[in-house]
Amino acid sequence: MIFIRHFSVLIIITCQLSSFSQSFTDDKIDSLISIMTLEEKIGQLTLFTSDWATTGPTIRENYLEDIRSGRAGNIFNAHTAAYNRSLQKVAIEESRLGIPLLFGYDVIHGYKTIFPIPLGEAATWDLELIERAARIAAEEATAGGLHWTFAPMVDIARDPRWGRIAEGAGEDVYLGSLIAAARVRGFQGNDLTKNNTLLACAKHFAAYGAAQAGRDYHTVDISKRTLWETYLPPFKACVDAGAMTFMTSFNELDGIPASAHRYLLEEILRDTWKFEGFVVSDYTSINEMVPHGYAANNKDAGRLAINAGLDMDMQGAVYYDYLEDLLAEGEVSIQTIDLSVKRILQAKNKLGLFDDPYRYSDEQREKEVVLSSANKELAREIARNSMVLLKNQNSVLPLQDSDQIALIGPLADSPIDMLGSWHAAGQANQTTSVLHAFNQAGKKVAYAQGCTIEGTDTSGFSEAIEKGETADKIIMVVGEHFNMSGEAASRSQIRIPDIQQLLIKRLSELNKPIILVLISGRPLCLNWELQIADAIIEAWQPGTMAGPAILDVLSGDHNPSGKLPVTFPRNEGQIPIFYNVKNTGRPMQPDNKYSSKYLDVANDPLFPFGYGLSYTTFSYANMSVDKTEISDQEDLNFSVTLTNSGSVAGHEIVQLYMRDPVASVTRPVKELKRFEKVFLQPSESKEVKFSLSTEELKFYNSDLQWVFEPGEFRFGIGPDSDVELTLNVVLK
Ligand code: BGC
């Protein structure tokens, strides 16, 4: 009897679902919701992880049962076409309504072909390359059965102790917002129903990067002004670029955990920005409202979260365990639940999953697309563009063919450490190390590891010194382990670990040119290294094609053009340090004790935001602006003549900065307003032009209204944020 009743329900619903396909409208989503049980509705609000292990895919037996019973509508960390098809089959064929599962994964900077970490990608300042990398990541991930990436991470980060600085675009609001939008466009493409586009997820909403003292998950306490000026703009850029999903952050903001923050989720995101997608919690962030001291227990946390507009619960099982009771007790309304269900079903529908739930599980496409040579070539291209030349004394780089090279260091042949902390399905055995790249290219090097990344064992030093003795130049690949940045990987000292510093010191005693290639997920304090080394390249964590890309730069096949998307401090005591600070009432004066400075370190950083050298040199001349006075609605047109004054072709990233020296609220000493990446042959010149509308002169006044105010503005164009602002314009 039970079986017959169940079967007849199934027939009716299957007919309904198949008639929904092709043109599944809002009305049809409403009818689907009308035939869902409460359990099935809560299932759509639930996201559980697969237990993917290196040995192969697995999922907890009870989660499989939850898929069957419609109690788990979304799965993350499950991937590959075949595996996800097998899970989808359970949802489609064995659950009562056959609603397709949504598969999510942290495809942060590549799926199997791994691109540089996002901070490295940001150092390219190349929006087109960044968008293409996200596009390829989406093509591979969708071929691997995925519908949704938990990216882009758009948290502005101004504290390099915070390990998650690796995952975003650095410290600047303007650059960060452009990159955020480029990544959304890359992931989502222009048509979500295509089988190679996936849902983007702007995270972590909001202000996660402002964790006190750079300690991950720590309290955030910032002003509303800082929230609006600094932390929100990249999220707004994601909404404008069409991002379909948002993820909340772990932190509290003004005493309220982000996962129950109505002001963030309802007032800003939905009411002001008109976001129409769905919001997911971060991993168990609903449950964490209990230790935060904001909810008495998990049930209470669930009530607070859903009523604040949080649609989907990641891994916490709070909605799963308590929503039914909360509804029965009148603490949550069915309208609230239905609205969240609807947002999630709409996203599934936008992906075309009701038409064909298996469209993303195409093994043939997976074979062709994943790790294709074209994808790896793009990874190499973006990696070499991400590298920042920090020092190059006496043009020790590029290497000459005749140079005898010693290649030393714990990161010279450590493929896994090239991939960064979020390397999705990227594998060490698909990754080319620097040593391997030299060998592949038939270039002879004397290699020694020297030491491990951390530790105290110096027994490998003698071999490294021996190899160094016979060389003309010593390349040392040094820095951080892949797990020394990323989530839960904050460091109070952001230096190259002691053992590696000791190795550098020993080798420097040979009095041979020392070239440091830095592998790191964050800015490092390099005061000492800057004295010792002849050349330094910040290579970040460059991804699958790390070795070839680094070799391209070392050999001069690629002239480096990366610029820092984040300030490099002299020491940790300067942190937080970033270029667009306020002037203070007592700006630094070297001879005035009572001015804003330290007794033991300069105010300026080791390397400023926007900094990066090239194997050529560039000169700037004839900087001008077409007006000295403007009124509202007028544009300002800037121009500068850039000349490649060196002997090789190269790219320069030309940057325009602005200051509003007097306003009704104080403004930063500099704000990046425009940039352009320009390619010039030796001796070639180009007039680089920028135009700014008065919109760009606006700021939030004391009532947080977006306004401009008459008065003077100063501008300057140059190679980095150290530029002087010598052009004056008056807004009438
Ligand atoms: C991280 C998120 C990530 C999620 C799923 C969390 O711990 O904070 O960034 O998307 O895990 O893996």
Side-chain angles (χ1 to χ4, degrees):
M1 221 13 221
I2 289 168
F3 172 73
I4 293 171
R5 203 164 58 221
H6 176 86
F7 189 62
S8 58
V9 169
L10 191 69
I11 303 237
I12 296 164
I13 289 160
T14 313
C15 293
Q16 280 180 295
L17 275 184
S18 61
S19 72
F20 287 150
S21 65
Q22 300 307 322
S23 52
F24 206 86
T25 58
D26 257 20
D27 284 355
K28 287 180 177 168
I29 288 177
D30 288 337
S31 338
L32 176 54
I33 293 173
S34 73
I35 57 170
M36 289 169 80
T37 63
L38 180 60
E39 254 192 3
E40 285 161 344
K41 290 177 181 176
I42 296 170
Q44 291 306 308
L45 312 187
T46 297
L47 171 64
F48 281 146
T49 184
S50 137
D51 298 321
W52 192 282
T54 35
T55 44
T58 58
I59 194 157
R60 289 163 221 183
E61 189 44 47
N62 58 320
Y63 290 177
L64 258 191
E65 193 39 50
D66 286 330
I67 296 173
R68 263 185 216 110
S69 60
R71 298 192 72 205
N74 314 282
I75 297 293
F76 70 119
N77 291 337
H79 59 102
T80 70
Y83 181 51
N84 285 9
R85 173 182 289 273
S86 73
L87 292 181
Q88 192 68 294
K89 213 159 174 280
V90 176
I92 299 299
E93 294 180 12
E94 299 179 41
S95 77
R96 191 180 76 98
L97 289 177
I99 299 175
L101 291 170
L102 183 71
F103 293 111
Y105 196 33
D106 289 279
V107 179
I108 309 291
H109 51 114
Y111 171 62
K112 282 210 170 172
T113 301
I114 301 301
F115 299 98
I117 53 166
L119 190 63
E121 284 193 4
T124 65
W125 296 51
D126 191 327
L127 301 174
E128 196 203 314
L129 265 184
I130 292 170
E131 182 173 336
R132 277 171 63 203
R135 185 85 292 282
I136 295 303
E139 278 184 14
E140 288 199 356
T142 52
L146 292 162
H147 308 141
W148 180 25
T149 176
F150 301 141
M153 189 276 216
V154 302
D155 298 313
I156 295 293
R158 295 176 162 185
D159 191 329
R161 293 170 297 183
W162 191 51
R164 303 200 78 167
I165 198 169
E167 299 175 44
E171 75 184 39
D172 187 54
V173 179
Y174 176 69
L175 180 63
S177 300
L178 291 174
I179 290 176
R183 289 202 168 115
V184 171
R185 288 196 301 271
F187 289 133
Q188 293 196 167
N190 52 14
D191 179 0
L192 274 172
T193 63
K194 284 191 181 155
N195 68 355
N196 65 359
T197 51
L198 40 62
L199 305 176
C201 181
K203 73 182 188 186
H204 307 83
F205 196 55
Y208 184 31
Q212 283 174 2
R215 199 181 79 205
D216 206 7
Y217 317 127
H218 202 356
T219 305
V220 167
D221 191 3
I222 56 172
S223 66
K224 248 191 186 174
R225 164 166 311 283
T226 302
L227 177 70
W228 279 93
E229 281 181 356
T230 305
Y231 291 95
L232 290 183
F235 287 100
K236 172 68 163 53
C238 288
V239 175
D240 292 345
M244 283 293 299
T245 77
F246 262 56
M247 186 188 292
T248 59
S249 53
F250 288 124
N251 56 281
E252 66 168 63
L253 190 67
D254 205 10
I256 300 175
S259 294
H261 216 295
R262 272 195 72 81
Y263 175 64
L264 283 177
L265 303 183
E266 291 296 345
E267 286 186 44
I268 298 178
L269 185 58
R270 294 203 166 99
D271 299 347
T272 310
W273 294 350
K274 310 289 175 219
F275 171 71
E276 288 183 346
F278 71 84
V279 180
V280 63
S281 73
D282 201 350
Y283 204 110
T284 63
S285 66
I286 301 179
N287 318 51
E288 289 164 27
M289 291 200 268
V290 178
H292 266 294
Y294 188 68
N297 48 43
N298 281 352
K299 183 174 169 187
D300 195 28
R303 172 184 66 82
L304 290 160
I306 190 124
N307 287 326
L310 180 59
D311 303 301
M312 190 188 282
D313 174 3
M314 184 195 289
Q315 197 55 23
V318 173
Y319 289 179
Y320 177 97
D321 285 336
Y322 300 109
L323 265 191
E324 198 172 335
D325 289 351
L326 286 167
L327 179 72
E329 291 159 17
E331 296 288 350
V332 174
S333 73
I334 191 67
Q335 288 77 12
T336 301
I337 294 177
D338 284 354
L339 185 57
S340 291
V341 173
K342 184 168 179 172
R343 290 177 182 138
I344 291 158
L345 293 179
Q346 276 171 332
K348 293 185 177 186
N349 186 39
K350 284 225 160 80
L351 291 168
L353 291 178
F354 287 105
D355 294 338
D356 176 4
Y358 303 109
R359 70 194 319 165
Y360 291 81
S361 279
D362 177 343
E363 274 129 305
Q364 186 52 36
R365 191 164 81 82
E366 188 176 33
K367 272 197 208 105
E368 290 162 13
V369 167
V370 170
L371 280 169
S372 72
S373 41
N375 294 0
K376 289 208 242 171
E377 226 7 80
L378 180 68
R380 178 177 181 164
E381 171 73 1
I382 189 159
R384 59 194 188 187
N385 274 279
S386 74
M387 291 175 196
V388 185
L389 184 65
L390 297 175
K391 179 177 182 185
N392 192 19
Q393 190 167 293
N394 304 326
S395 299
V396 63
L397 286 174
L399 302 174
Q400 306 300 311
D401 284 345
S402 57
D403 285 338
Q404 298 284 318
I405 303 295
L407 180 65
I408 312 288
L411 288 154
D413 192 25
S414 181
I416 187 73
D417 290 306
M418 303 300 110
L419 298 180
S421 65
W422 277 125
H423 48 254
Q427 288 164 347
N429 63 11
Q430 301 285 353
T431 303
T432 311
S433 71
V434 183
L435 175 63
H436 193 180
F438 269 99
N439 291 339
Q440 262 178 350
K443 293 189 196 278
K444 272 188 64 184
V445 285
Y447 164 72
Q449 181 185 336
C451 62
T452 47
I453 294 171
E454 293 182 288
T456 51
D457 183 2
T458 55
S459 60
F461 278 26
S462 52
E463 188 196 354
I465 292 166
E466 229 169 76
K467 298 277 165 66
E469 268 164 354
T470 58
D472 302 321
K473 291 177 181 170
I474 301 171
I475 299 173
M476 301 192 67
V477 191
V478 291
E480 296 186 318
H481 187 278
F482 79 92
N483 258 338
M484 287 168 77
S485 61
E487 185 172 352
S490 296
R491 298 177 68 199
S492 69
Q493 293 201 335
I494 53 168
R495 304 177 189 185
I496 295 176
D498 293 351
I499 182 88
Q500 296 183 61
Q501 285 196 330
L502 197 58
L503 182 66
I504 298 170
K505 183 160 189 306
R506 290 280 180 281
L507 282 151
S508 72
E509 285 158 9
L510 298 175
N511 290 321
K512 306 274 174 86
I514 300 272
I515 297 156
L516 296 185
V517 176
L518 301 178
I519 302 296
S520 70
R522 58 157 62 77
L524 297 173
C525 291
L526 300 166
N527 243 348
W528 175 80
E529 289 79 359
L530 191 61
Q531 315 302 320
I532 298 268
D534 296 85
I536 306 182
I537 296 172
E538 174 54 80
W540 315 105
Q541 287 151 331
T544 304
M545 295 298 277
I550 290 173
L551 185 52
D552 288 340
V553 171
L554 290 170
S555 66
D557 286 351
H558 177 84
N559 185 356
S561 61
K563 300 267 191 176
L564 297 177
V566 62
T567 303
F568 274 44
R570 292 176 188 276
N571 67 28
E572 293 86 355
Q574 290 185 312
I575 297 170
I577 180 168
F578 47 93
Y579 81 93
N580 56 347
V581 289
K582 301 289 184 73
N583 202 37
T584 82
R586 292 187 177 191
M588 206 277 282
Q589 291 172 303
D591 301 327
N592 180 355
K593 175 173 165 57
Y594 296 98
S595 66
S596 179
K597 58 181 161 51
Y598 299 100
L599 295 179
D600 55 352
V601 67
N603 276 14
D604 65 342
L606 195 61
F607 300 112
F609 172 82
Y611 176 83
L613 303 171
S614 161
Y615 294 150
T616 190
T617 47
F618 294 97
S619 64
Y620 288 73
N622 310 325
M623 189 170 68
S624 69
V625 59
D626 65 340
K627 301 177 190 79
T628 52
E629 277 193 2
I630 46 164
S631 50
D632 180 12
Q633 312 296 344
E634 278 187 288
D635 282 353
L636 283 174
N637 298 299
F638 296 88
S639 126
V640 71
T641 308
L642 181 74
T643 303
N644 180 343
S645 43
S647 53
V648 287
H651 283 98
E652 167 70 330
I653 298 165
V654 181
Q655 301 160 39
L656 167 71
Y657 290 87
M658 181 191 98
R659 178 173 181 188
D660 182 350
V662 182
S664 61
V665 295
T666 60
R667 306 297 306 140
V669 294
K670 265 170 205 161
E671 293 174 77
L672 178 68
K673 286 290 167 183
R674 290 282 184 274
F675 61 87
E676 192 181 327
K677 192 167 178 176
V678 182
F679 181 74
L680 292 179
Q681 295 293 341
S683 307
E684 196 188 349
S685 292
K686 187 181 170 189
E687 195 183 347
V688 182
K689 296 180 174 180
F690 296 113
S691 132
L692 281 188
S693 74
T694 44
E695 187 62 28
E696 258 96 2
L697 310 183
K698 287 188 174 172
F699 61 93
Y700 290 106
N701 68 10
S702 54
D703 297 324
L704 287 180
Q705 289 158 335
W706 185 239
V707 299
F708 46 62
E709 289 176 354
E712 185 198 344
F713 291 83
R714 295 185 194 149
F715 300 90
I717 303 174
D720 57 49
S721 61
D722 247 359
V723 65
E724 271 186 61
L725 309 183
T726 53
L727 297 174
N728 284 11
V729 176
V730 173
L731 175 67
K732 286 190 292 186

